[in-house]
Amino acid sequence: MKKYLNYIDGEWSESSSGKYVEILNPANGEVLGEVTQSTKEDVDRAVQAAKKAQKEWRLVPAPERAEFLYKVAFLLKERKEKIAQVLTSEMGKVIEEARGEVQEAIDMAFYMAGEGRRQFGDTVPSELRNKFAMSVRIPVGVAGLITPWNFPIAIASWKSLPALVTGNAVVWKPATETPMTAYEFAKIYEEAGLPKGLLNLVNGSGSVVGNAIVEHPDIDLISFTGSNEVGSAINARAGELLKRTSLEMGGKNAVTVLADADLDLAVDSILWGAFGTSGQRCTATSRIIVHQYVKAELEQKLVDRIGELTLGDGADESVKVGPVINRSALEKIHDFVQIGQREGARLLAGGHIVSEIGLDGGNFYAPTIFTDVTPEMRIAKEEIFGPVVSIISVNSLEEAIEINNNVEFGLSSSIFTADVNRAFQAMRDLDTGIVYINAGTTGAEIHLPFGGTKGTGNGHRDSGVAALDVYTEWKSVYIDYSGKLQRAQIDNN
Ligand code: NDP
């Protein structure tokens, strides 16, 4: 059986624990391999290697650092299909989406390589004569990255590439469910010739490895994507330790459909947004807020189309919806569906675990639509992270915006309307980090900031130029060439 190891200080090694965990294909339960379970000591080894490597790396000119990222980009491109297949086998998303996810990492590698020749600072006039003032970005040091299973390469790329191009070293803990994709990515860094110690992959559980990363005194910043529960615990501890943290967490994303909307376009976008990646995207469409005039028509169109969503192994090109990640996720989703029914919501489609022959070895949940949902129901407020969407009806745009905003999360929102005035009003008032007009809640592009307001995060952003802010400090530099003491605020006033 294939064993997946750690990559520490440029060497592939198993953990000193000697323990392994099986990697399962969520579509059929097949054992794909096993992954080493690291200890606190493994994390320490990785951090020491990172710290040492970063001392030299910070002095390498940024355009030269970027050369490695270009190599990573080309290797990812070359291996796109292979990585997509690995990703589908351990995570379950359909192959077309897996290819899209690898493409996201490719795009990010090219984009961040470009940052090697940007990383702009500011030069500003000094208030004194014969004095020069500027601010420059400097690396933070060693970045601890903790990533989830739902986008095992995209999210790892969003974090590791900006960290490296800005001169940091990385200690990365991927999710236990997706070590094979992590291996493929780390291997590419190795083959790109990245100097040893700059990218360290440490496999293992969140409670041991994740926790050791958060606690380690030589890790200067934590970038985390995952659940609110874990993210807020990390934030609390990192706060005590005065460590910088960047958190991207859950969503309860809504599509608003106004009476003048193109309903067929809205239906296409809802099916893709709610059931793509089996609803396990942080940007998944989880609520549909529809004007009552078009509610019945929209419901009918959704019911007519839901049969198109064939379930199965994501490796099969004809399959539209793959399994969910594991048995406990399947049970959690089903619990939510039962809660929804008890709360009085009406099932329009789905609502059950799929156990038909051929799918019984995997974790399949039927694409599920609830209607007559009210904003205070739990299914309208809490993140389900599965193929379940709830329809809520409203009488106005203002009511739709209020319901959209009145949840704990603020990641993504979308509105379908033909009225430009309403579209602009929505764009201004929807309280989420990402807003789509006449497109669903998913589809972020890597050169724009990605993240959310309120409970979704803590104000930082992955992606775009904003990602540089996570991995750099500002240094302000004053050069006085007057040859005499010049006192700011005093000698010029
Ligand atoms: P988790 O929070 O359970 O796990 C995320 C990562 O944190 C994993 O690597 C996990 O390790 C690790 N972890 C778990 N416990 C600890 C701990 N005590 N200390 C440090 N690290 C820990 O989330 P999931 O992986 O289950 O991902 C699903 C969640 O992520 C959803 O809520 C989703 O909305 C959110 N998400 C948000 C995104 C965003 O950008 N806003 C994007 C993608 C997902 P392990 O699992 O190996 O134990």
Side-chain angles (χ1 to χ4, degrees), residues 84 88 93 119 124 136 160 185 187 189 200 252 254 271 306 342 370 389 416 437 460 470:
T88 290
K93 67 176 63 172
Q119 291 183 46
V124 291
V136 294
S160 60
F185 196 25
K187 191 104 188 82
Y189 274 117
N200 300 278
K252 191 68 191 173
L271 293 177
I306 198 141
R342 280 201 298 275
F370 272 117
V389 67
F416 285 84
I437 310 291
H460 291 286
V470 174

Side-chain angles (χ1 to χ4, degrees), residues 443-463:
E445 299 177 30
I446 61 90
H447 49 302
L448 280 75
F450 181 95
T453 61
K454 301 187 286 187
T456 292
N458 64 340
H460 291 286
R461 294 290 185 266
D462 280 327
S463 291

Side-chain angles (χ1 to χ4, degrees), residues 243-264:
K243 270 186 203 192
R244 180 186 294 213
T245 51
S246 166
L247 307 171
E248 286 302 336
M249 301 174 289
K252 191 68 191 173
N253 316 294
V255 161
T256 290
V257 182
L258 296 186
D260 62 357
D262 176 339
L263 292 190
D264 291 318

